[in-house]
Amino acid sequence: MRARIEDVAAAAGVSIKTVSRVFNREPNVREETRDKVEEAARQLKYRPNSSARSLAGRRSYLVSLLYDNPSPNYVMEVIEGVLSACETAHYGLTLRPIDFSHRGHVESIEALIAQYRPDGLVLTPPLTDDGPLLRRLRELSVRHATISAKRDNAGIGATLDERAAAADITAHVASLGHRRIGHITGHRSHAARVWRLAGYLDGLRRAGIVADPDLVVEGEFSFESGITGARRLLDMDDPPTAIFGANDDTACGVLYEAAARDLDVPGQLSVFGFDDTPMSRQVWPSLSTVRQPSREMGRIAAQQLLNALGGHEPAHMVRVAYQLQIRHSTGPAPAR
């Protein structure tokens, strides 16, 4: 027999109204009381009736995650983090890929809001910095949290100092003796492209290396653009001895092209990326990269959104820590 809200209230020793307040994430519920109710619900395997909650609270108890990113590894990590927070709060999650390059993307998001009436949105780059979209969400009074927004004061969500991280890993590779380090950038619409390119240049300056603009080629945060970018760099008369892919997908494309040319990595070419997606540990040689905790960033952004929907005090953007992951794809510069 399915457990009822009355059963949870009896097991936790509280009123039905208190149980309802806990599941609706209302403020002014003591943490001890909240823990007792949630533990009772777990023991009884109780799940709130989402239809009844929606009717009673005039909410949909849905969060929508919007994304436009060519890296499926990154997107999946974010989804898992957002889903974790939603499941804990007994919220549903809808996923919507958005074509940021399409002129009607704001209207398509408006249609999504009208159809599904989510209580809030979680935005990923490049939507996090899309001025027309953010203005429209404010006009519609739609709550939203962001991941990796360009400005730290851009409401609630999670971000990471990508410029400092890119500088640190570039400087590390330079410390191995590399003087010609190439960079394949991210997509122009993403703020991460700007941060990681700036960090790459910072890292070169820190190592006393004068930047060569010919060593920077355009990419799209995709495996294919890593291959294309690597071809351009490796076909140079004086090719780089190391290449920084703006994300792991791009860097893995560089590894692919290096293998096609029978280049030894890292003996003849060092390769490094950014994100520390599962792919970076599954390829060989395993990829040196920056660990960006994308799953945790998704969880934090969703948790902050859910807290705001529950009437809790507004939070600030959370800056998460990064770590350098130095693996087999980087090594000392080859003798020339």
Side-chain angles (χ1 to χ4, degrees):
M1 182 176 176
R2 182 176 176 176
R4 303 169 303 160
I5 190 171
E6 293 87 351
D7 301 322
V8 176
V14 299
S15 68
I16 294 173
K17 184 176 181 180
T18 297
V19 176
S20 179
R21 290 176 64 204
V22 168
F23 286 119
N24 290 337
R25 301 195 64 80
E26 294 180 17
N28 304 320
V29 177
R30 289 192 307 169
E31 199 63 35
E32 180 184 354
T33 301
R34 188 181 301 277
D35 291 344
K36 284 199 302 184
V37 170
E38 290 179 348
E39 178 59 28
R42 277 193 293 271
Q43 292 292 332
L44 294 169
K45 298 181 179 178
Y46 170 77
R47 298 286 295 180
N49 185 311
S50 58
S51 298
R53 291 172 81 205
S54 298
L55 290 171
R58 295 184 179 180
R59 298 187 199 174
S60 64
Y61 291 93
L62 281 176
V63 165
S64 290
L65 172 63
L66 310 184
Y67 60 91
D68 178 9
N69 193 298
S71 171
N73 293 283
Y74 170 82
V75 172
M76 184 55 66
E77 290 281 299
V78 171
I79 288 172
E80 290 182 0
V82 174
L83 182 60
S84 172
C86 287
E87 287 187 333
T88 299
H90 305 288
Y91 261 72
L93 175 64
T94 65
L95 309 175
R96 178 60 65 94
I98 299 294
D99 185 355
F100 180 74
S101 64
H102 189 268
R103 285 188 175 183
H105 73 280
V106 175
E107 289 75 13
S108 70
I109 293 171
E110 281 192 60
L112 175 149
I113 293 169
Q115 180 177 0
Y116 296 102
R117 300 192 178 279
D119 293 337
L121 308 176
V122 176
L123 307 178
T124 61
L127 301 170
T128 51
D129 299 300
D130 179 20
L133 171 60
L134 298 177
R135 283 193 295 274
R136 189 59 181 143
L137 294 180
R138 285 193 293 270
E139 291 168 359
L140 296 172
S141 298
V142 175
R143 294 269 197 159
H144 61 277
T146 63
I147 298 173
S148 298
K150 189 179 294 182
R151 299 174 303 279
D152 285 353
N153 61 351
I156 58 176
T159 189
L160 177 141
D161 193 341
E162 297 186 33
R163 180 170 182 170
D168 283 351
I169 196 165
T170 301
H172 167 76
V173 171
S175 75
L176 300 175
H178 295 274
R179 309 307 289 174
R180 288 184 62 74
I181 302 174
H183 179 47
I184 303 172
T185 70
H187 195 284
R188 284 187 173 273
S189 66
H190 287 244
R193 175 192 188 276
V194 177
W195 289 338
R196 297 176 192 182
L197 173 57
Y200 157 78
L201 296 173
D202 290 344
L204 294 182
R205 278 192 292 271
R206 190 188 303 174
I209 300 172
V210 177
D212 180 349
D214 290 338
L215 289 175
V216 177
V217 300
E218 293 295 320
E220 297 183 348
F221 285 130
S222 67
F223 180 83
E224 292 76 15
S225 70
I227 296 174
T228 303
R231 287 173 181 167
R232 286 186 55 189
L233 291 168
L234 296 173
D235 284 342
M236 296 175 68
D237 291 336
D238 187 13
T241 61
I243 297 177
F244 172 28
N247 70 346
D248 291 343
D249 294 66
T250 303
C252 285
V254 177
L255 289 177
Y256 181 93
E257 181 61 20
R261 294 173 181 240
D262 290 325
L263 289 176
D264 177 60
V265 177
Q268 294 172 285
L269 177 70
S270 285
V271 182
F272 56 110
F274 200 110
D275 285 338
D276 194 29
T277 58
M279 176 191 293
S280 69
R281 301 180 293 278
Q282 294 163 355
V283 296
W284 183 259
S286 56
L287 191 63
S288 292
T289 185
V290 173
R291 172 162 170 68
Q292 174 174 235
S294 303
R295 185 181 308 184
E296 179 65 6
M297 293 172 77
R299 188 197 65 77
I300 290 171
Q303 186 63 64
Q304 289 196 327
L305 175 63
L306 294 167
N307 288 345
L309 293 172
H312 295 275
E313 287 295 317
H316 299 287
M317 187 70 64
V318 174
R319 176 166 285 190
V320 300
Y322 64 85
Q323 292 179 322
L324 302 190
Q325 303 291 334
I326 306 304
R327 301 194 178 105
H328 297 91
S329 67
T330 51
R336 284 190 167 183

